[in-house]
Coordinates of all heavy atoms in Angstrom, one line a residue:
P303 N -22.8 6.8 22.1 CA -24.2 7.2 22.4 C -24.4 8.6 22.2 O -23.5 9.4 22.3 CB -24.4 6.8 23.8 CG -23.0 6.8 24.5 CD -22.1 6.4 23.3
K305 N -26.3 10.6 23.9 CA -26.4 11.2 25.2 C -26.0 10.2 26.3 O -26.4 9.1 26.2 CB -27.7 11.7 25.5 CG -27.9 12.6 26.7 CD -29.2 13.2 26.8 CE -29.3 14.1 28.0 NZ -30.4 14.0 28.8
S306 N -25.3 10.7 27.3 CA -24.9 9.8 28.4 C -26.1 9.4 29.2 O -27.1 10.1 29.2 CB -23.9 10.4 29.3 OG -24.4 11.6 29.9
G307 N -26.0 8.3 30.0 CA -27.2 7.9 30.8 C -27.9 6.9 30.1 O -27.7 6.5 28.9
P308 N -28.9 6.3 30.8 CA -29.7 5.2 30.2 C -30.5 5.7 29.1 O -31.1 6.8 29.2 CB -30.6 4.7 31.4 CG -30.6 5.8 32.3 CD -29.4 6.6 32.2
A309 N -30.7 4.9 28.0 CA -31.5 5.3 26.9 C -33.0 5.1 27.2 O -33.3 4.2 27.9 CB -31.2 4.4 25.7
P310 N -33.8 6.1 26.9 CA -35.2 5.9 27.1 C -35.8 4.7 26.4 O -35.3 4.3 25.4 CB -35.8 7.2 26.5 CG -34.7 8.2 26.4 CD -33.5 7.3 26.2
S311 N -36.8 4.1 27.0 CA -37.3 2.8 26.4 C -38.1 3.0 25.2 O -38.7 4.0 25.0 CB -38.1 2.1 27.5 OG -39.3 2.8 27.8
Y326 N -34.9 8.9 18.9 CA -33.6 9.3 19.5 C -33.1 10.7 19.1 O -32.4 11.4 19.8 CB -32.5 8.2 19.1 CG -32.7 6.9 19.8 CD1 -33.0 5.8 19.2 CD2 -32.7 6.9 21.2 CE1 -33.2 4.6 19.9 CE2 -32.8 5.7 21.9 CZ -33.2 4.6 21.3 OH -33.4 3.4 22.0
N329 N -34.8 13.1 21.4 CA -34.1 13.2 22.7 C -32.7 13.7 22.7 O -32.2 14.4 23.7 CB -34.2 11.8 23.4 CG -35.6 11.6 24.0 OD1 -36.1 12.5 24.6 ND2 -36.1 10.4 23.9
P339 N -35.3 14.0 28.7 CA -35.8 13.2 27.5 C -37.3 12.9 27.7 O -37.8 12.9 28.8 CB -35.0 11.9 27.5 CG -34.5 11.8 29.0 CD -34.4 13.2 29.5

Side-chain angles (χ1 to χ4, degrees):
K305 187 177 181 220
S306 62
S311 65
Y326 289 117
N329 279 322

